[in-house]
Amino acid sequence: MSPCGLLLLLLLLGRVTTAPSVTECGPDEYEAEGLHLCCKLCPAGSYVSEHCTVNHSKGQCRECEPGTFTAHPTGMTSCLPCAQCREDQEVVTNCSRVSDRQCQCQQGSFYCDSPDCAEKCFRCTRCQGSVLQPCSATRDTVCAVETNQEPDERLIPFLQGNGNSSEPFIAVAVAVAVAVVVVVVLFIIVIIVVYQKKGVQIRRRVVGCLKGESEEPGSPEYEQTYFLKDTSCNTTSQTYYIFGQEVTPSKWNMFMTLIGLEGNEIERCRYENQGNLIEGHHKMLITWRNKLGREASIFKFMAALHQMRLRTCLENIINKLIAENILAKHAETPN
Ligand SMILES: *[C@@H]1O[C@H](CO)[C@@H](O)[C@H](O)[C@H]1NC(C)=O
Ligand SMILES: *[C@@H]1O[C@H](CO)[C@@H](O)[C@H](O)[C@H]1NC(C)=O
């Protein structure tokens, strides 16, 4: 586990002491449903076939059937089914009792380079001309920039045939063309700079209207209002901790769904941490962060809470983040 993950884990585990809990089981134990007993976890690759009958003892474990697995020591009463690779995918690692099947997009035909293709691979681009880099499972084909040769060929006899007499003409034509291009580019840049802010506002309003949202000043644009002062490992953990504290368990699933975790990922984290809410939530955040990589941002959290209309909760979080010196407001800009 990375130092970041460990810190996060420690912080979240720290909450166990404050969270109300009926039966407090050890880290290598699980709480047997309805029995208020702490039983020892079964090892990875197996499942609990019978709960223990004496507190803190070990029940019966049985090996996972073929096609199922448990990746961690577990209190589950069955193993998880191995993932099936889709038609546009191929197997990278076969399923074993202790690890799930790993799939990737079919090399050469499909690729996936963003979270957008989590459910379906993209088809590789076919180059018209030459291929600079073939399509891989995680990257599209890179084609050579197309050089259209026909105009060049037509120019050659013209350039050669007319000799010296056309040279001044060509020089002037080239100069004029360059000047026009420069002016147009400058004009476009000025337009973009001047209208960018207005454009964003207009777009926001249009999108807001389409979604049927009432207009609220600056509501979804947290990323424009606030910025992260410190993105170090330490504050990431603190941030996750604050969100974990403020979002109530009943809203958690919806929250995870909105930030982009899939239902089965949420289920899996819950299954693998039965009886330990905090640990389950922690796994979800880790899964989410691993899935999104650099896309993982607390602004996604904010957008999700906004969408869930949890204004008070969100305000509390923002205030806490500001108080912790993690978040700050951009200097006021006139609207
Ligand atoms: C088993 O142990 C745990 C923690 O030590 C305790 O909370 C629980 O009440 C115990 N269960 C029974 C049935 O004694
Ligand atoms: C997975 O198992 C099948 C059959 O057991 C085998 O043919 C295949 O090569 C294995 N694939 C990998 C990636 O190990």
Side-chain angles (χ1 to χ4, degrees):
M1 187 181 273
S2 68
C4 207
L6 190 64
L7 240 167
L8 177 51
L9 177 64
L10 289 176
L11 271 167
L12 284 158
L13 284 179
R15 288 190 57 199
V16 172
T17 48
T18 56
S21 168
V22 190
T23 314
E24 296 257 1
C25 297
D28 60 342
E29 296 176 331
Y30 67 95
E31 187 190 336
E33 278 164 64
L35 299 175
H36 296 291
L37 282 175
C38 295
C39 304
K40 295 262 184 272
L41 294 170
C42 284
S46 69
Y47 66 99
V48 177
S49 57
E50 267 173 60
H51 292 302
C52 63
T53 47
V54 176
N55 215 356
H56 306 297
S57 72
K58 192 171 178 177
Q60 302 279 324
C61 303
R62 202 172 283 171
E63 281 193 352
C64 293
E65 314 286 336
T68 67
F69 76 102
T70 47
H72 308 284
T74 183
M76 289 192 292
T77 52
S78 65
C79 299
L80 294 163
C82 291
Q84 298 289 330
C85 296
R86 298 188 310 258
E87 279 196 352
D88 55 0
Q89 292 180 318
E90 60 192 8
V91 178
V92 184
T93 319
N94 273 326
C95 175
S96 81
R97 280 194 291 114
V98 294
S99 61
D100 197 2
R101 180 177 288 122
Q102 303 289 321
C103 308
Q104 70 176 13
C105 295
Q106 250 179 51
Q107 293 260 31
S109 309
F110 297 96
Y111 73 99
C112 179
D113 62 354
S114 78
D116 297 339
C117 38
E119 298 192 337
K120 196 165 179 254
C121 299
F122 296 136
R123 202 172 275 280
C124 297
T125 301
R126 291 220 182 121
C127 300
Q128 303 282 15
S130 52
V131 176
L132 282 185
Q133 213 172 350
C135 193
S136 75
T138 55
R139 218 179 134 195
D140 195 10
T141 327
V142 181
C143 300
V145 176
E146 258 198 82
T147 49
N148 204 345
Q149 302 214 324
E150 280 171 30
D152 287 1
E153 277 161 12
R154 261 185 262 128
L155 261 180
I156 290 165
F158 171 71
L159 291 171
Q160 287 170 340
N162 289 340
N164 292 340
S165 64
S166 68
E167 260 173 23
F169 167 73
I170 290 172
V172 169
V174 167
V176 168
V178 168
V180 166
V181 167
V182 167
V183 168
V184 167
V185 166
L186 280 177
F187 186 69
I188 289 172
I189 289 174
V190 168
I191 295 267
I192 288 173
V193 167
V194 169
Y195 286 98
Q196 199 171 32
K197 278 189 180 174
K198 276 190 183 167
V200 167
Q201 279 166 15
I202 290 165
R203 236 176 297 138
R204 198 191 306 159
R205 250 168 239 163
V206 169
V207 170
C209 286
L210 290 177
K211 284 183 180 166
E213 276 176 11
S214 61
E215 203 178 304
E216 284 169 59
S219 35
E221 306 299 328
Y222 297 101
E223 203 159 356
Q224 294 191 349
T225 315
Y226 301 99
F227 65 97
L228 279 177
K229 289 183 80 172
D230 185 351
T231 51
S232 69
C233 181
N234 216 340
T235 54
T236 307
S237 316
Q238 229 171 331
T239 307
Y240 283 3
Y241 173 62
I242 289 172
F243 275 89
Q245 260 185 332
E246 292 293 327
V247 180
T248 57
S250 63
K251 305 277 186 203
W252 192 265
N253 267 16
M254 172 66 89
F255 180 44
M256 288 297 107
T257 308
L258 285 176
I259 61 171
L261 216 57
E262 276 161 51
N264 60 4
E265 290 167 326
I266 297 174
E267 281 311 305
R268 188 160 292 203
C269 292
R270 275 213 203 294
Y271 266 123
E272 291 187 350
N273 300 282
Q274 269 176 5
N276 193 339
L277 202 64
I278 311 297
E279 176 68 339
H281 290 180
H282 160 253
K283 281 275 162 59
M284 288 178 208
L285 290 174
I286 295 284
T287 308
W288 177 75
R289 204 188 49 190
N290 290 344
K291 183 173 161 185
L292 266 73
R294 287 202 301 180
E295 299 278 327
S297 135
I298 68 157
F299 295 111
K300 286 210 164 60
F301 288 174
M302 293 186 180
L305 293 180
H306 179 85
Q307 214 175 332
M308 290 166 74
R309 307 202 176 279
L310 297 176
R311 299 283 151 69
T312 324
C313 167
L314 185 50
E315 269 167 32
N316 287 344
I317 290 173
I318 289 176
N319 289 339
K320 277 193 183 180
L321 290 173
I322 290 175
E324 298 279 352
N325 222 15
I326 297 172
L327 199 70
K329 217 170 173 169
H330 283 300
E332 286 289 325
T333 46
N335 247 338

